[in-house]
Amino acid sequence: MITGFYPGNIRLYEVALTHKSASVALPDGSSINNERLEYLGDAVLGAIIADYLYQRFPNNDEGFLTQLRSKIVKRKQLNKLAYKIGMSPLLILNTRQNQYKENIHGNAFEALIGAVYLDKGYYKTRKFVIRKILEKHLDLDKLARKESDFKSRIIEWAQKHKKEISFVTEEGQESQNEQMFVSRVIMMNEELGKGKGHSKKDAEQKAAEKALEKITG
């Protein structure tokens, strides 16, 4: 039992594990799959993690908390967590898993969180996420110390593989009083990553992070 408790509404969990390739068509033309639960689970998971990190790291600023939350909820991390709690063999789909290897497990993980929330409520879901996920499968202190200078890392990667990359950063206005920068990582006329930020440095770091995810899988 991957949740550690008996479900009240088993149907919610069946839907959470149902990929869109195995959708059940209804008479009104709509389909039953885990996409709506994924949407809900994404929001609930984000709230739980934000609250937990706020309590767990009382002396760290907003930037640190935002960055650490981002590392936890990034798709690659959620895919790993889905594997760790044993979701992979439970997925219901009508296609090969490797066709959707980029997101199938992470999406189902978020859908599961949505199912737990609807079945058991916020506090039971929070307990599940903290005890069964964060404290059991993630070393938050190690994750917080993990190298986050993505720009330096992609420059080192480019040098190692004898590739030329460049950062193209433009300044604009997000609103009347708010400045915004948009940065793109370019290699051989191809855009590898794009990021936005309120500073040039922040935009370039986000663009570099996206580029690294693309080239390293």
Side-chain angles (χ1 to χ4, degrees), residues 144-158:
R145 294 192 301 269
K146 188 176 180 181
E147 176 60 56
S148 297
D149 186 356
F150 300 108
K151 184 176 181 180
S152 294
R153 287 169 59 187
I154 197 166
I155 289 173
E156 289 173 4
W157 179 91

Side-chain angles (χ1 to χ4, degrees), residues 2-183:
I2 61 177
T3 59
F5 55 80
Y6 289 101
N9 183 350
I10 190 68
R11 182 59 182 154
L12 283 171
Y13 300 88
E14 291 173 347
V15 173
L17 295 168
T18 303
H19 183 255
K20 62 182 179 181
S21 66
S23 297
V24 177
L26 299 178
D28 63 4
S30 62
S31 299
I32 297 178
N33 57 50
N34 65 7
E35 290 184 332
R36 281 171 53 82
L37 282 175
E38 177 195 342
Y39 157 79
L40 179 61
D42 173 58
V44 173
L45 182 63
I48 291 171
I49 291 175
D51 178 33
Y52 180 76
L53 295 181
Y54 185 86
Q55 305 295 334
R56 176 76 165 69
F57 298 96
N59 299 317
N60 295 89
D61 62 18
E62 174 268 346
F64 169 88
L65 298 175
T66 298
Q67 188 176 72
L68 184 52
R69 182 183 61 182
S70 176
K71 291 178 181 178
I72 295 171
V73 301
K74 66 190 297 185
R75 189 61 47 187
K76 191 173 182 179
Q77 185 70 263
L78 295 184
N79 287 338
K80 291 179 181 178
L81 290 173
Y83 274 109
K84 286 181 178 180
I85 66 173
M87 290 186 67
S88 187
L90 302 176
L91 296 180
I92 303 168
L93 62 164
N94 286 331
T95 187
R96 293 180 180 178
Q97 288 190 21
N98 59 9
Q99 287 184 253
Y100 296 88
K101 63 181 179 180
E102 292 293 327
N103 54 27
I104 187 172
H105 294 88
N107 291 351
F109 179 86
E110 288 181 332
L112 175 65
I113 300 300
V116 175
Y117 172 73
L118 290 178
D119 187 33
K120 299 294 184 178
Y122 178 80
Y123 291 103
K124 188 79 171 183
T125 309
R126 185 178 187 276
K127 182 178 179 181
F128 167 65
V129 170
I130 292 173
R131 294 189 179 181
K132 295 291 184 178
I133 306 298
L134 298 181
E135 294 179 349
K136 188 173 182 179
H137 294 293
L138 288 176
D139 185 337
L140 293 182
D141 292 316
K142 182 179 179 180
L143 197 61
R145 294 192 301 269
K146 188 176 180 181
E147 176 60 56
S148 297
D149 186 356
F150 300 108
K151 184 176 181 180
S152 294
R153 287 169 59 187
I154 197 166
I155 289 173
E156 289 173 4
W157 179 91
Q159 292 172 341
K160 179 180 179 180
H161 293 85
K162 296 181 171 53
K163 304 286 186 181
E164 287 191 17
I165 65 168
S166 61
F167 285 80
V168 179
T169 305
E170 300 173 345
E171 182 179 352
Q173 293 288 126
E174 186 174 51
S175 64
Q176 186 175 358
N177 300 313
E178 197 165 14
Q179 190 178 42
M180 178 61 69
F181 291 85
V182 178
S183 183

